[in-house]
Amino acid sequence: SSGINAEYGGEIEWSESESEESYTEEVPESSFQESDQTGDFLEKDVGTTVRLIDINLHATSHGLVPQNLLFLLQCLRCKTQAEVLVAPNSTKSIACARCSCELSCKLYKKLCVPGTASIACVDLVGCSVADLLLPRSQILSICTDCSTSTVLGLSSGANNETWCSSCGHKMIISFEGIKTVVINPPLASGKQRSKTKVAKGYTEGQPLPEKGACKHYKKSQRWFRFSCCGRLFPCDKCHDAQVPDCPLEQANRMVCGLCAKEQPVRSQCKYCHGEISGSLKSHHWEGGKGCRNKVRMSNNDSRKHKNSNLKTQSQKDKRVGQQKKKDGGSKDGMF
């Protein structure tokens, strides 16, 4: 079954240039046959385009070229997900494990440089791209000194270092995340444009489904990207349920459940500053930086009942203080 992770995946957007009429019109077997190409590289973005967010080559590489990409595909019919490893200019087809529909992916490579940031385009049949698992993919980096291509694995949010296999030149590549843009919807059976819109994994700036919570941790508001498989899951139990054969490793990246931005694992989002870990750092006011919920606030904190009708007031002044002297001085029967 598709399980908990049926809707988890990379960010997906729709191009405004795609009209509703294009869903029913007959199209060629491959939407790339009439595309402009220069050599092996595709010039313009078509189909489903994969981009790297805020890529920085640090003036050490001419660009990145895919050698083998591991995609997480999602069936358009039953939403079941499957991993597919595809080489450039080749087609990989598999059968959906749940509904047996054909899932086909044809990869066309692009030269990824700052400014364009597109690393590949894919032609899809019966499926959509849920995520790109870059830590388990192979990317070629082109050396600025000798133009030799060297294989490296990429991880978002960190400086990925490698050395040229020919001249030993050090290359540094960094990026903040992955974005998947749907320019032309994938093909369904019968070679027609799918009338079912591609399910969104998440969209930056909008909350995650259920704000990132799951049935195991209902107060946690984030998804974790596990380094063992490169996939997103709300917790380790969801990971074990979806990929039982994968050796669980600690996640070092997460996606905020409130703003859907990928970042290092932390209890507070560095972009929207929301508390997403499901636990409070303190039960005291601490000048406004601690707990601000009076229900959860410690009874020993003076702010808990401030300006509240539940706060008790001392009556000592009326018995022995200045107010008592104004009212008559002493109790009955005493001087």
Side-chain angles (χ1 to χ4, degrees):
S1 61
S2 58
I4 301 169
N5 196 39
E7 58 183 357
Y8 306 149
E11 179 183 351
I12 296 178
E13 293 184 354
W14 282 88
S15 173
E16 297 179 357
S17 62
E18 180 67 16
S19 64
E20 294 294 332
E21 297 179 356
S22 63
Y23 291 122
T24 56
E25 67 177 345
E26 295 291 336
V27 296
E29 181 176 356
S30 173
S31 59
F32 291 97
Q33 292 179 355
E34 298 179 0
S35 302
D36 295 333
Q37 299 187 37
T38 302
D40 293 332
F41 296 105
L42 199 66
E43 284 189 355
K44 62 181 182 180
D45 292 341
V46 291
T48 301
T49 302
V50 181
R51 299 173 182 171
L52 303 184
I53 302 174
D54 296 335
I55 181 174
N56 188 353
L57 302 179
H58 301 275
T60 60
S61 174
H62 285 312
L64 303 178
V65 181
Q67 186 179 44
N68 290 295
L69 294 183
L70 182 62
F71 287 97
L72 184 64
L73 301 181
Q74 181 168 293
C75 177
L76 292 178
R77 182 179 179 183
C78 65
K79 311 305 178 187
T80 302
Q81 296 184 346
E83 295 182 2
V84 175
L85 184 65
V86 191
N89 303 325
S90 64
T91 303
K92 184 68 175 291
S93 299
I94 62 171
C96 177
R98 184 177 182 182
C99 65
S100 300
C101 287
E102 181 185 5
L103 310 181
S104 178
C105 176
K106 187 171 184 179
L107 174 64
Y108 287 82
K109 63 182 179 180
K110 297 198 66 176
L111 179 63
C112 183
V113 294
T116 59
S118 297
I119 195 169
C121 294
V122 288
D123 193 10
L124 302 170
V125 176
C127 58
S128 62
V129 175
D131 201 0
L132 173 61
L133 310 180
L134 275 179
R136 297 161 60 193
S137 302
Q138 291 182 330
I139 310 295
L140 297 175
S141 178
I142 305 175
C143 177
T144 54
D145 289 351
C146 63
S147 299
T148 302
S149 299
T150 304
V151 178
L152 77 157
L154 292 179
S155 297
S156 59
N159 287 337
N160 301 273
E161 299 181 355
T162 187
W163 284 262
C164 177
S165 58
S166 178
C167 66
H169 174 67
K170 184 178 180 179
M171 293 177 282
I172 304 175
I173 295 95
S174 62
F175 65 101
E176 292 301 320
I178 303 169
K179 176 183 286 188
T180 305
V181 180
V182 179
I183 298 177
N184 302 112
L187 299 176
S189 58
K191 306 304 178 183
Q192 292 183 346
R193 292 293 181 188
S194 172
K195 295 182 181 180
T196 305
K197 286 193 174 182
V198 181
K200 292 185 177 182
Y202 63 87
T203 303
E204 231 179 70
Q206 298 181 9
L208 297 176
E210 303 297 331
K211 292 186 178 180
C214 66
K215 66 179 184 180
H216 305 109
Y217 300 94
K218 296 182 179 180
K219 293 184 179 181
S220 178
Q221 298 179 328
R222 52 186 173 177
W223 288 350
F224 295 97
R225 188 175 293 279
F226 290 87
S227 56
C228 50
C229 57
R231 295 173 60 174
L232 289 168
F233 295 96
C235 69
D236 56 338
K237 297 179 181 179
C238 296
H239 171 277
D240 293 340
Q242 289 297 307
V243 281
D245 297 332
C246 179
L248 179 64
E249 294 183 9
Q250 185 176 5
N252 53 10
R253 301 281 295 176
M254 72 173 191
V255 175
C256 174
L258 304 178
C259 66
K261 291 194 175 182
E262 190 167 339
Q263 57 197 279
V265 173
R266 51 191 299 166
S267 60
Q268 187 181 50
C269 177
K270 71 175 184 179
Y271 297 103
C272 67
H273 307 292
E275 289 288 343
I276 54 180
S277 63
S279 62
L280 291 171
K281 294 181 179 179
S282 172
H283 290 277
H284 295 270
W285 176 256
E286 295 182 0
K289 296 182 179 180
C291 178
R292 306 184 69 155
N293 187 340
K294 290 188 176 182
V295 176
R296 297 185 177 183
M297 192 177 292
S298 173
N299 291 329
N300 297 326
D301 198 303
S302 60
R303 285 268 183 170
K304 184 175 181 68
H305 299 296
K306 187 175 182 179
N307 299 327
S308 172
N309 294 330
L310 300 177
K311 182 180 179 181
T312 58
Q313 297 180 356
S314 175
Q315 303 295 323
K316 184 177 180 180
D317 188 59
K318 294 182 180 180
R319 297 194 311 268
V320 297
Q322 296 295 327
Q323 187 64 34
K324 179 62 178 178
K325 294 180 180 179
K326 292 180 181 179
D327 293 342
S330 63
K331 295 182 179 179
D332 296 338
M334 297 181 68
F335 56 126

